[in-house]
Amino acid sequence: MAQVTLRDVKKVYDGKVVAVRDVNLTIGDGEFLVLVGPSGCGKSTTLRMIAGLEAITEGTISIGDRVVNDVHPKDRDIAMVFQNYALYPHMSVEKNMAFGLQLRRLPREEIKRRVTETAGLLGIGELLNRRPKQLSGGQRQRVALGRAIVRDASVFLFDEPLSNLDAKLRVTTRTEIKKLHKRLRTTTVYVTHDQEEAMTLGDRIVVMSAGRGVGVIEQVDTPLNVYRYPKNRFVGAFLGRTPMNFFDGRLVEAEGEVWFVAGPEDAPSIRLAMLPKHTEALRGRVGAEVTLGLRPSSLSEHPMGKETAAHSTIRSQVQVVEPLGKNIDVSCELLDGSPMLARIDARHDFPTSGEVKFYVDMEHVHLFEPGEFGASLLHPEGAPQNETATLASDA
Ligand SMILES: Nc1ncnc2c1ncn2[C@@H]1O[C@H](COP(=O)(O)OP(=O)(O)OP(=O)(O)O)[C@@H](O)[C@H]1O
Ligand SMILES: [Mg+2]
């Protein structure tokens, strides 16, 4: 196993297309790191540079203690799975898995042992004699995984390995990959554009964007830290199953508090008192244009904390109510006509029309500078130093 390090890595294609720049990452020994971001932000490029399939224009990449910039892919001790994994159609599953090992001239018994063990691990032990066309999509995907894993490489690289599978199979295979990593603990870099896949798989996730014309890293942290403390509006908008609500407005000082206000002075559509602990940080911004970021789950028809109706509620007209089981999604409209989505607890009945007052969980609101990449005002550096929100089971 090995640590992978990228230092000031830049990739320019054909001397003109800058695909990524300023890529600095340390992937810990045994870590599962996910690169996530919209199409064209340079995820595959970054992965392919680690693999050695693309030359590095600037910077260095190390695997273990060795700088691999000029090391041939086959000598980097990596195994890679692509979206379009091509299995050899005329070979059995067993042969497909064994092929790479045969090329490496491993002893026959060793090959047999590794293939059997890996097939067992992936639950395809019964399928070893079948040809790829006699398998389901999910089974084929597992053979492709097996073919990579059987090599016993020190780093696994995955580029959207599940995107050819249907939604249900994606979820189950994703769980398998997570289980597999728990067992093998092989350093893994995994590329996806699916934020949910990233959140569920990664020990840490790297959110990338190409919004300023070049692929760059926006934020790196544990999934929950990135979700809770997005450094900028782009990251806030990218992560989360339901999109964050954004409202343009301004900061106002009144009654000894700093308020976020949207809409006209005499009839604001939103007027929320920021928490006292944030007052100091925000005072210098009073009068400035800012954007409020509000996750649908930060809205409730009941108070969630110490909120008081006068200081932390938003009035809205209910438009559409969608029961989803555990939650209800409420699409509504504010006084000024701007849309807002609330995801509330389904244990209580909810009116399907009329005016409703939502309480806002002020602990979890976000304020950004204006613009798509506006920096967070409350946590511009992401999660506080002492905060490492990981799932209890991973701690
Ligand atoms: N071989 C190439 N020659 C020139 N430009 C390229 C080449 N490969 C990728 N690019 C460009 O580099 C940028 C990053 O591409 P890359 O494939 O790394 O993105 P990605 O994040 O993997 O996107 P997707 O989610 O669509 O796979 C894009 O602007 C792309 O057009
Ligand atoms: Mg790609």
Side-chain angles (χ1 to χ4, degrees):
M1 288 206 270
Q3 171 175 303
V4 179
T5 317
L6 290 83
R7 284 284 158 264
D8 302 319
V9 171
K10 180 176 185 180
K11 174 67 186 181
V12 185
Y13 284 107
D14 312 321
K16 46 180 191 287
V17 183
V18 186
V20 293
R21 65 165 160 75
D22 303 326
V23 177
N24 284 291
L25 283 174
T26 302
I27 304 137
D29 187 11
E31 185 176 19
F32 198 118
L33 188 87
V34 180
L35 306 181
V36 65
S39 186
C41 68
K43 305 178 296 292
S44 297
T45 299
T46 305
L47 198 74
R48 291 170 62 82
M49 285 192 287
I50 300 172
L53 301 172
E54 288 296 346
I56 302 156
T57 312
E58 275 177 33
T60 52
I61 296 184
S62 314
I63 299 178
D65 301 327
R66 185 167 64 140
V67 173
V68 295
N69 285 37
D70 299 315
V71 176
H72 195 273
K74 76 170 173 21
D75 300 323
R76 292 192 183 196
D77 200 14
I78 46 135
M80 190 154 172
V81 183
F82 300 93
Q83 171 179 357
N84 297 309
Y85 52 87
L87 299 176
Y88 302 108
H90 57 285
M91 288 185 192
S92 68
V93 166
E94 181 168 10
K95 284 246 170 66
N96 263 286
M97 287 174 68
F99 191 65
L101 301 180
Q102 283 166 354
L103 286 182
R104 271 152 213 264
R105 305 195 183 290
L106 257 71
R108 186 188 290 256
E109 306 76 57
E110 172 69 7
I111 296 178
K112 182 94 190 158
R113 188 187 63 77
R114 284 210 207 166
V115 169
T116 312
E117 191 183 302
T118 306
L121 209 59
L122 289 164
I124 50 174
E126 316 289 289
L127 309 173
L128 286 175
N129 295 321
R130 293 211 201 157
R131 298 259 171 104
K133 69 164 193 287
Q134 298 168 309
L135 302 174
S136 73
Q139 290 168 335
R140 269 194 290 243
Q141 183 62 54
R142 264 182 267 171
V143 177
L145 285 176
R147 194 172 56 173
I149 288 163
V150 80
R151 300 239 325 265
D152 218 4
S154 44
V155 180
F156 290 158
L157 304 174
F158 295 97
D159 194 348
E160 313 238 9
L162 308 183
S163 45
N164 287 345
L165 304 180
D166 65 46
K168 201 167 162 203
L169 208 50
R170 279 180 81 123
V171 174
T172 49
T173 315
R174 170 173 105 193
T175 311
E176 307 247 318
I177 291 179
K178 191 158 182 166
K179 273 196 213 149
L180 204 64
H181 180 257
K182 248 190 163 143
R183 264 190 76 165
L184 301 174
R185 287 286 167 202
T186 306
T187 310
T188 302
V189 187
Y190 186 104
V191 163
T192 178
H193 61 269
D194 180 340
Q195 61 84 25
E196 190 172 312
E197 209 168 286
M199 295 276 290
T200 51
L201 276 176
D203 292 325
R204 285 187 306 154
I205 61 177
V206 179
V207 181
M208 300 177 70
S209 86
R212 303 177 197 83
V214 181
V216 289
I217 292 175
E218 299 290 345
Q219 193 164 353
V220 185
D221 209 333
T222 61
L224 291 180
N225 270 352
V226 182
Y227 180 82
R228 287 181 193 159
Y229 303 101
K231 277 186 184 179
N232 60 39
R233 175 172 168 167
F234 174 85
V235 177
F238 191 76
L239 293 185
R241 205 176 267 191
T242 44
M244 193 184 260
N245 297 290
F246 294 106
F247 303 101
D248 293 334
R250 59 203 176 277
L251 291 176
V252 172
E253 193 163 7
E255 303 150 49
E257 296 185 88
V258 176
W259 303 71
F260 170 85
V261 180
E265 208 68 58
D266 50 344
S269 53
I270 302 180
R271 191 166 184 273
L272 296 171
M274 302 310 293
L275 295 180
K277 66 178 176 186
H278 294 137
T279 311
E280 275 320 303
L282 295 175
R283 237 181 213 126
R285 301 281 185 153
V286 167
E289 303 275 307
V290 297
T291 301
L292 176 75
L294 209 52
R295 292 204 188 275
S297 54
S298 297
L299 291 159
S300 166
E301 74 282 32
H302 300 287
M304 285 187 267
K306 297 192 226 42
E307 300 90 348
T308 53
H311 291 185
S312 56
T313 53
I314 298 179
R315 275 170 27 181
S316 69
Q317 289 289 332
V318 175
Q319 304 277 317
V320 179
V321 173
E322 297 172 297
L324 302 170
K326 184 174 181 296
N327 298 108
I328 300 175
D329 273 3
V330 184
S331 303
C332 37
E333 209 170 71
L334 306 191
L335 277 181
D336 63 356
S338 42
M340 180 173 83
L341 181 72
R343 173 161 287 188
I344 59 166
D345 198 319
R347 277 176 299 182
H348 313 283
D349 286 337
F350 198 81
T352 53
S353 64
E355 190 183 297
V356 172
K357 188 172 70 180
F358 284 105
Y359 287 83
V360 179
D361 175 6
M362 293 306 293
E363 264 313 321
H364 295 108
V365 302
H366 303 270
L367 286 176
F368 302 105
E369 306 214 25
E372 195 195 347
F373 291 90
S376 166
L377 298 182
L378 298 177
H379 33 80
E381 299 305 322
Q385 283 286 313
N386 53 358
E387 189 114 352
T388 42
T390 48
L391 297 173
S393 60
D394 288 349

